C-alpha cells in the first residue's frame, strides 16, 4: 500500500498535470503582458552624439544655451546640468528649455550669463533602469588659455550616486548567481525524479545539495532584487533633481522600471517562501511549473534592468531573458556538483560510487549545456548587433563594451565549451567508442568550469553598468580645442561625420542602421555636396524620396540640414543660394537662410531682417523671394528657442503683409518640425488645432499650412486617420476650414508620393462641398516640391469636373511665382 501511495504521489492524474501546467503558463503570459506594458522606447542606454556648442570650444561671447543631442530619446526631466567654474565654484541659473511632455533626443538648457573664463557644463541623465550616463562640455569664453580648455575636467559623480551604482552592480551579479543556483537545483532535482534513476548514497548527497541550493538560491534572488530595486529607485529619484521627493519617487515607480522590479520582488519572495516545499516535490510537473515561474520572474528583472537596453519590445526582452537563463542553466548544475564535493558525506563515499553518481548527472547535463551554449552565442550575437549596429563594423568607441564582451565569449566560453565536451560530452563519447579511454572527470575540471563561467558573469555585470558617455562618441571629451565666432554653431563640415570617419558609401548603409540613421544620411548627402555640388545632393534626396521610406518621411528636414551645411562649406550665403534646391518644399533654401541669421543676437536681427532678402525681392513675391523670407522664419524660431508667439514681433519688422505672412509660415513650419522631433513647445497633444486657434487672424492660414501634419503625427496615417483629421477640420472656426482642408491635401500628396489615385480616394473622405480645397492643396504641393506643373495638371485632370476650375486656377497662381 505504501508503494502504491508513493507511486500515486509521483504520478498525479493527467488533469492535475494539465491544470498545474496551465497555471505556470498563465503566470508567464501575465508576465509577458506586464513586460509589454512596461517597455519603453526610452529605456535604451543612450549616449551623447553632439553638443552645441561643441566640447572644448572657445567663443568670443558666452552662449545663451546648451544643446545636447542624444542617440536615443531621454526623459528631459531626468537630465540635469551644472555649470562649474575652473576653480570649482558653481553658477546657478541653468534652466531646462525642452518641453517635458515626451521623451526627446534633443535637450536644451538656457545658460546663466557667463563672464570670461573656462567653464564646465556637466550634464547627467538617469534612465528608468537607474543607469546613470554623464559627461561634460568644456567651454572657454573670451581670451583664455587653450591648454586649460584642452585639459580641464569638471564632471563628477556624487559619492551617494557612486555608492548606489556599486550596490546596483553588486545586486546584478548576485542576481545572476542566485538564478544559476535555482536553475541548477531545479534541473538536478528533475533529473533525479526521472524514471529509471539509480539511487545511491552519493546520489542522495547530490539531491540534498540541490535542495539546499534551491533554498539558498531563492533567498539570494530575493535579496538581490530587493537590493536592485532600492538602488534603482533611489538613483532614478535623484536623477529628477530638485523638487518634491514624494512625486519623484512616484515617477520612479510608475514611469520608470519600479513596477517590474516590485513584481519581481513579489515573485522571488514567493519562491523563497516555497523553496523548502518545492525541494521535496515528487513530481517533475511541479518542478516544470516552478521553472516557468522562474523564467517569468527573470523576464521581469530583464525588463526592469540593463538587459532591456536593446529591448523596447516584449520579444526582445524575452530574448534577453533566454540569454540569462541559458547562462544559469549551464553554470547551475556545476555549482551543485562543486558544492556537493565540499560535503563530508560526499567524501566518505567510495570513489567508484561518487564517479558513477557524477557521471549519471553529467550524462543528462550534456544536452542542457550544449543547448545553453548555443542559446548564449545566438542571443549574445543578436544583442551585440542591436546594441552597436553597424558601429561594430565602423569601429565606434561606443561599441567597446560589446567588443570586450564578444572577446570574452570567444576567449573563455568557447574554449570552455570544447573542454567540457572533451571531458564528458560528444567528443568524450566518440573517444570511448573509438576504443580509447575517456578523459577522467575530476573535481578540478568541474571547479575550473564553474569558476570560469562565474567570472564571465561577473565581468558581464561590470561591463553592463559602464557609462557609454565615458567611452566617447562623436569626439566628446576630445582634447582638441575649436575657436569659433561670436555666436557658436556646430561647424557643419566637421559635425557631419558624427558616427563615421568618412561619409557612407551609399544610402543603403544608412537605411540599415538602428542608431544614428539621421546622422548617417546627413553624412551621405554632405559628401555628395562637397564632391559634386549642393544641387546634385538635393537631386539625390529627391530621387531617394521615391524609394527610401526614411528620406520620404524626412525629405524637407534632410535638405534643410543640407542648406545649413552648405553655408559652412561654401563660406558664403549668396554662393549657397545659387544652387538649385527647390525639391522637398525648398527646404534647402530655408536651411541656408536659417543658418545665415543664426549668428545674430535679437537686437541685431531686428536691424538686419528688413534688408536680408533685398536681392531675392527684386522679383517681388517670386519663389526665390518666398524661400528667403520663409527661411528667416525658421531661423528666428531657432534663435528664440521655438517660441512661435515670440517670433511674431520679429516677422512684423517687415512692412509688407505678404512678407510678414511668409515669415510666420516658416516659423510655424519650424514649430511643427520641432514637435515631430519630440520638442512640442507651442503644440499640444490634447488640442491638435493649437496654436492655430490662438494665433492672430492674419496668420491662421499660415498656421494651418502645416498644422494637419501635427494632427496626423499624433493620430496616424491610415485612411480612417485621414478621415479623423477631416472631422477635426470640420469642427474648427468657419473661416479656418478651407485652410485646414488645403493643408490636409498637401499632407496627402506628400505622404503618398503625389499619387493622384490615392489623392482622389483620401480627399473624397472630406465634406463634398470642401473637397476641392483638398485637391488644391495636393496639386499646389507638387509644384512647390517639383518646381514644375506636370503632376499638378495630372491631379487636376483626375478629379470631378466641377472642381477642376479651382484646381487649375491655384496651379496657375503658384506657377506664376516660379
Amino acid at each position: 500500500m505504501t508503494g502504491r501511495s508513493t507511486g500515486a504521489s509521483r504520478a498525479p492524474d493527467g488533469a492535475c498535470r494539465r491544470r498545474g501546467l496551465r497555471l505556470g503558463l498563465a503566470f508567464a503570459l501575465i508576465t509577458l503582458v506586464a513586460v509589454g506594458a512596461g517597455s519603453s522606447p526610452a529605456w535604451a542606454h543612450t549616449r551623447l552624439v553632439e553638443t552645441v556648442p561643441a566640447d572644448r570650444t572657445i567663443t568670443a561671447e558666452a552662449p545663451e544655451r546648451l544643446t545636447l543631442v542624444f542617440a536615443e530619446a531621454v526623459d528631459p526631466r531626468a537630465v540635469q546640468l551644472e555649470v562649474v567654474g575652473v576653480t570649482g565654484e558653481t553658477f546657478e541659473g541653468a534652466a531646462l528649455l525642452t518641453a517635458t511632455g515626451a521623451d526627446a533626443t534633443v535637450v536644451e538648457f538656457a545658460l546663466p550669463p557667463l563672464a570670461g573664463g573656462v567653464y564646465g557644463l556637466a550634464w547627467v541623465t538617469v534612465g528608468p533602469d537607474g543607469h546613470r550616463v554623464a559627461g561634460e562640455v568644456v567651454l572657454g569664453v573670451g581670451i583664455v588659455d587653450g591648454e586649460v580648455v584642452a585639459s580641464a575636467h569638471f564632471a563628477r559623480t556624487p559619492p551617494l550616486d557612486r555608492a548606489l551604482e556599486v550596490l546596483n552592480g553588486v545586486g546584478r551579479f548576485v542576481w545572476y548567481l542566485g538564478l544559476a543556483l535555482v536553475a541548477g537545483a531545479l534541473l538536478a532535482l528533475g533529473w533525479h525524479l526521472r524514471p529509471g534513476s539509480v539511487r545511491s548514497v552519493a546520489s542522495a548527497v547530490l539531491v540534498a545539495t540541490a535542495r539546499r541550493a534551491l533554498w539558498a538560491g531563492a533567498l539570494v534572488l530575493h535579496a538581490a532584487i530587493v537590493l536592485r530595486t532600492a538602488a534603482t529607485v533611489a538613483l532614478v529619484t535623484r536623477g529628477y533633481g530638485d523638487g518634491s521627493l514624494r512625486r519623484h519617487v512616484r515617477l520612479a515607480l510608475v514611469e520608470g522600471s519600479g513596477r517590474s522590479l516590485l513584481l519581481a520582488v513579489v515573485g522571488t519572495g514567493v519562491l523563497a517562501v516555497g523553496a523548502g516545499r518545492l525541494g521535496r516535490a515528487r513530481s517533475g510537473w511541479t518542478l516544470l511549473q516552478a521553472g516557468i515561474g522562474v523564467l517569468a520572474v527573470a523576464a521581469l528583472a530583464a525588463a526592469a534592468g540593463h538587459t532591456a537596453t536593446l529591448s523596447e519590445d516584449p520579444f526582445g526582452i524575452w530574448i534577453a531573458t533566454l540569454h540569462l537563463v541559458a547562462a544559469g542553466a549551464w553554470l547551475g548544475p556545476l555549482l551543485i556538483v562543486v558544492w556537493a564535493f565540499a560535503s563530508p558525506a560526499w567524501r566518505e563515499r567510495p570513489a567508484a560510487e561518487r564517479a558513477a553518481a557524477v557521471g549519471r548527472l553529467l550524462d543528462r547535463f550534456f544536452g542542457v549545456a550544449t543547448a545553453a551554449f548555443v542559446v548564449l552565442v545566438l542571443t549574445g550575437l543578436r544583442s551585440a548587433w542591436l546594441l552597436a549596429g553597424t558601429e561594430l563594423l565602423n569601429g565606434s568607441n561606443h561599441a567597446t563594451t560589446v567588443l570586450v564582451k564578444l572577446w570574452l565569449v570567444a576567449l573563455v566560453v568557447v574554449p570552455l565549451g570544447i573542454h567540457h565536451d572533451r571531458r564528458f560530452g560528444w567528443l568524450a563519447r566518440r573517444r570511448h567508442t573509438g576504443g580509447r579511454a575517456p578523459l577522467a572527470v575530476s573535481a578540478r575540471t568541474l571547479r575550473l568550469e564553474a569558476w570560469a563561467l562565474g567570472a564571465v558573469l561577473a565581468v558581464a555585470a561590470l561591463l553592463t553598468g559602464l557609462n557609454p558617455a565615458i567611452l566617447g562618441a562623436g569626439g566628446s571629451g576630445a582634447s582638441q580645442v575649436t575657436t569659433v565666432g561670436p555666436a557658436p554653431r556646430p561647424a557643419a563640415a566637421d559635425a557631419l561625420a558624427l558616427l563615421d570617419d568618412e561619409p557612407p558609401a551609399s544610402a543603403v548603409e544608412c537605411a540599415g542602421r538602428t542608431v544614428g540613421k539621421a546622422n548617417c544620411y546627413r553624412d551621405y548627402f554632405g559628401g555628395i555636396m562637397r564632391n559634386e555640388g549642393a544641387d546634385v545632393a538635393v537631386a539625390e534626396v529627391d530621387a531617394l524620396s521615391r524609394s527610401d521610406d526614411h528620406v520620404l518621411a524626412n525629405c524637407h528636414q534632410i535638405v534643410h540640414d543640407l542648406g545649413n551645411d552648405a553655408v559652412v562649406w561654401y563660406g558664403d550665403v549668396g554662393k549657397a543660394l545659387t544652387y538649385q534646391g527647390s525639391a522637398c518644399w525648398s527646404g534647402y533654401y530655408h536651411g541656408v537662410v536659417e543658418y545665415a541669421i543664426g549668428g545674430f543676437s535679437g537686437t541685431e536681427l531686428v536691424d538686419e531682417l528688413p534688408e536680408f532678402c533685398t536681392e531675392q525681392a527684386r522679383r517681388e513675391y517670386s519663389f526665390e523671394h518666398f524661400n528667403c523670407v520663409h527661411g528667416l522664419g525658421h531661423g528666428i524660431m531657432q534663435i528664440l528657442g521655438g517660441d512661435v508667439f515670440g517670433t511674431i514681433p520679429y516677422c512684423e519688422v517687415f512692412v509688407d503683409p505678404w512678407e510678414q505672412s511668409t515669415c510666420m509660415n516658416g516659423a510655424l513650419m519650424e514649430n511643427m518640425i520641432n514637435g515631430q522631433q519630440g520638442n512640442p513647445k507651442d503644440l499640444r497633444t490634447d488640442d491638435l488645432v493649437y496654436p492655430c486657434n490662438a494665433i492672430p487672424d492674419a496668420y491662421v492660414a499660415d498656421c494651418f499650412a502645416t498644422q494637419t501634419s501635427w494632427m496626423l503625427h499624433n493620430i496616424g496615417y491610415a485612411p480612417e486617420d485621414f478621415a479623423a483629421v477631416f472631422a477635426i477640420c470640420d469642427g474648427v472656426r468657419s473661416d479656418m476650414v478651407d485652410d485646414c482642408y488645403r493643408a490636409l491635401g498637401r499632407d496627402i500628396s506628400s505622404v503618398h508620393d503625389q499619387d493622384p489615385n490615392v489623392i482622389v480616394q483620401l480627399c473624397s473622405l472630406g465634406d463634398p462641398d470642401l473637397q476641392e480645397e483638398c485637391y488644391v492643396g495636393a496639386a499646389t504641393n507638387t509644384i512647390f516640391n517639383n518646381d514644375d506643373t506636370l503632376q499638378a495638371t495630372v491631379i487636376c485632370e483626375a478629379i470631378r469636373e466641377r472642381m477642376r476650375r479651382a484646381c487649375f486656377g491655384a496651379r496657375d497662381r503658384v506657377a506664376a511665382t516660379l
Side-chain angles (χ1 to χ4, degrees):
M1 178 177 291
T2 303
R4 287 193 299 271
S5 174
T6 302
S9 67
R10 291 187 180 180
D13 61 75
C16 291
R17 293 178 180 178
R18 289 192 296 272
R19 183 166 60 252
L21 186 58
R22 283 197 299 267
L23 288 173
L25 292 174
F27 182 39
L29 180 60
I30 292 171
T31 303
L32 177 62
V33 173
V35 164
S39 61
S40 164
W43 276 36
H45 293 175
T46 192
R47 61 187 177 87
L48 197 68
V49 296
E50 185 182 12
T51 67
V52 181
D55 186 27
R56 315 286 167 178
T57 294
I58 299 175
T59 65
E61 298 178 2
E64 297 179 353
R65 68 176 57 201
L66 171 68
T67 301
L68 304 173
V69 182
F70 294 98
E72 302 291 343
V74 298
D75 184 348
R77 296 171 298 183
V79 183
Q80 306 298 321
L81 180 69
E82 183 179 36
V83 182
V84 186
V86 72
T87 58
E89 72 276 25
T90 59
F91 296 84
E92 303 295 331
L96 180 67
L97 296 176
T98 303
T100 58
D103 297 324
T105 55
V106 179
V107 178
E108 291 191 303
F109 286 88
L111 298 176
L114 300 175
V118 178
Y119 301 91
L121 311 179
W123 59 269
V124 60
T125 178
V126 179
D129 63 351
H131 189 76
R132 187 176 185 276
V133 180
E136 64 183 14
V137 176
V138 179
L139 177 68
V141 178
I143 301 175
V144 296
D145 187 342
E147 292 185 1
V148 175
V149 176
S151 61
H153 291 283
F154 299 87
R156 50 197 176 190
T157 302
L160 179 56
D161 285 0
R162 179 66 68 194
L164 290 171
E165 286 179 323
V166 171
L167 285 177
N168 218 346
V170 170
R172 192 161 50 248
F173 173 68
V174 173
W175 166 264
Y176 295 161
L177 184 62
L179 186 63
L181 283 172
V182 170
L186 290 176
L187 287 170
L189 291 172
W191 294 330
H192 176 69
L193 293 175
R194 289 182 62 179
S197 296
V198 178
R199 303 290 190 268
S200 67
V201 176
S203 296
V205 173
L206 286 174
V207 171
T209 303
R211 288 170 177 162
R212 288 194 296 271
L214 179 60
W215 177 77
L219 288 180
V220 168
L221 273 180
H222 186 61
I225 204 66
V226 169
L227 181 63
R228 286 179 58 186
T229 300
T232 297
V233 171
L235 279 167
V236 175
T237 300
R238 287 176 57 80
Y240 286 117
D242 299 331
S244 169
L245 177 61
R246 177 180 298 180
R247 178 173 179 271
H248 291 169
V249 171
R250 181 183 63 80
L251 288 173
L253 291 173
V254 175
E255 297 191 12
S257 56
R259 287 176 296 181
S260 297
L261 285 170
L262 290 176
L263 284 173
V265 168
V266 173
T268 54
V270 171
L271 179 63
V273 171
R277 183 176 179 182
L278 182 62
R280 297 189 297 275
R282 295 186 176 184
S283 167
W285 289 98
T286 302
L287 297 177
L288 176 59
Q289 295 162 40
I292 295 173
V294 170
L295 183 68
V297 170
L300 287 170
H306 290 43
T307 52
T309 297
L310 314 166
S311 312
E312 298 88 7
D313 52 59
F315 175 76
I317 293 175
W318 280 106
I319 292 295
T321 302
L322 288 177
H323 187 76
L324 291 176
V325 172
W330 186 356
L331 174 60
L334 295 175
L335 293 177
I336 303 299
V337 174
V338 172
W339 191 343
F341 284 173
S343 167
W346 176 267
R347 291 195 294 267
E348 291 173 357
R349 306 312 303 164
E353 181 183 336
R354 288 181 293 175
V358 172
R360 286 191 294 271
L361 185 144
L362 293 179
D363 279 343
R364 296 185 172 99
F365 175 53
F366 164 69
V368 172
T370 302
F373 175 76
V374 172
V375 170
L376 278 172
V377 171
L378 293 179
T379 56
L381 289 174
R382 176 188 182 275
S383 298
W385 179 254
L386 289 179
L387 176 63
T390 52
E391 293 180 67
L392 279 174
L393 303 178
N394 295 333
S396 166
N397 288 334
H398 181 52
T400 300
T401 55
V402 182
L403 290 172
V404 170
K405 192 171 181 180
L406 287 174
W407 276 108
L408 191 65
V409 170
L411 296 177
V412 178
V413 176
V414 172
L416 198 61
I418 296 173
H419 176 76
H420 170 98
D421 206 49
R422 292 184 67 239
R423 292 288 179 176
F424 33 81
W426 179 79
L427 291 176
R429 295 179 181 182
R430 185 178 180 185
R431 181 185 183 94
H432 182 71
T433 303
R436 291 174 291 175
L439 296 172
V441 178
S442 66
R444 181 178 179 183
T445 295
L446 297 176
R447 289 192 186 100
L448 170 65
E449 191 165 337
W451 276 106
L453 286 172
V456 169
L457 290 178
V459 174
L462 171 65
L463 293 177
T464 303
L466 287 180
N467 175 6
I470 67 174
L471 299 174
S476 178
S479 59
Q480 183 177 355
V481 177
T482 303
T483 303
V484 300
R489 293 181 60 91
D494 296 326
L496 290 179
L498 298 175
L499 297 177
D500 300 302
D501 294 330
E502 296 181 0
S506 72
V508 175
E509 180 181 334
C510 302
R513 290 204 172 193
T514 55
V515 175
K517 179 177 289 189
N519 295 327
C520 181
Y521 278 105
R522 188 166 181 173
D523 284 356
Y524 173 64
F525 295 119
I528 294 175
M529 176 190 68
R530 291 191 293 267
N531 295 321
E532 302 178 59
D535 52 343
V536 178
V538 172
E540 176 69 3
V541 176
D542 186 37
L544 279 177
S545 69
R546 292 166 173 78
S547 59
D548 187 307
D549 290 341
H550 177 85
V551 177
L552 173 62
N554 300 276
C555 184
H556 183 86
Q557 187 60 40
I558 290 172
V559 293
H560 198 287
D561 292 337
L562 188 65
N564 280 191
D565 300 337
V567 179
V568 175
W569 177 249
Y570 295 118
D572 180 74
V573 174
K575 182 173 176 58
L577 287 173
T578 62
Y579 289 89
Q580 168 60 249
S582 59
C584 302
W585 312 282
S586 303
Y588 171 79
Y589 297 128
H590 306 163
V592 170
V593 177
E594 173 196 85
Y595 192 95
I597 68 169
F600 296 119
S601 66
T603 303
E604 293 171 332
L605 188 58
V606 170
D607 296 333
E608 293 287 339
L609 279 176
E611 306 300 325
F612 198 88
C613 295
T614 302
E615 181 66 28
Q616 289 75 19
R618 289 185 178 181
R619 187 183 172 199
E620 199 172 36
Y621 312 144
S622 64
F623 206 25
E624 293 81 4
H625 190 188
F626 171 86
N627 284 328
C628 183
V629 180
H630 179 97
L632 290 175
H634 279 277
I636 296 168
M637 279 283 284
Q638 291 278 347
I639 293 172
L640 299 183
D643 183 355
V644 166
F645 295 94
T647 303
I648 295 174
Y650 287 89
C651 287
E652 290 183 344
V653 168
F654 292 104
V655 176
D656 188 330
W658 181 89
E659 289 183 314
Q660 294 175 354
S661 173
T662 302
C663 176
M664 283 303 301
N665 183 274
L668 289 157
M669 178 180 282
E670 183 72 17
N671 185 51
M672 185 274 298
I673 291 171
N674 288 342
Q676 291 180 329
Q677 293 179 341
N679 301 294
K681 182 172 182 179
D682 279 326
L683 290 164
R684 296 176 181 172
T685 55
D686 58 348
D687 180 3
L688 297 179
V689 179
Y690 183 87
C692 299
N693 51 10
I695 206 162
D697 289 348
Y699 308 120
V700 166
D702 299 299
C703 186
F704 273 108
T706 56
Q707 193 67 21
T708 51
S709 298
W710 176 244
M711 298 176 189
L712 292 169
H713 177 75
N714 286 275
I715 297 175
Y717 297 90
E720 60 269 23
D721 299 322
F722 283 96
V725 176
F726 274 121
I728 295 176
C729 291
D730 292 335
V732 301
R733 206 172 69 194
S734 60
D735 59 337
M736 301 179 183
V737 179
D738 291 357
D739 299 319
C740 195
Y741 267 65
R742 281 193 295 273
L744 188 52
R746 177 190 57 78
D747 282 318
I748 292 171
S749 174
S750 300
V751 171
H752 292 285
D753 200 21
Q754 306 175 19
D755 185 330
N757 294 324
V758 179
I759 291 170
V760 170
Q761 175 191 354
L762 294 179
C763 283
S764 65
L765 297 174
D767 186 330
D769 294 334
L770 294 166
Q771 288 175 15
E772 70 177 38
E773 300 296 342
C774 180
Y775 294 124
V776 164
T780 55
N781 175 70
T782 67
I783 301 174
F784 284 121
N785 186 63
N786 304 339
D787 201 22
D788 62 44
T789 62
L790 296 178
Q791 193 64 16
T793 301
V794 172
I795 293 171
C796 292
E797 290 176 345
I799 65 179
R800 294 179 181 177
E801 188 171 354
R802 66 180 179 83
M803 303 180 189
R804 291 179 183 175
R805 181 176 180 181
C807 186
F808 282 119
R811 179 202 65 178
D812 295 340
R813 286 193 299 274
V814 173
T817 68
L818 297 180

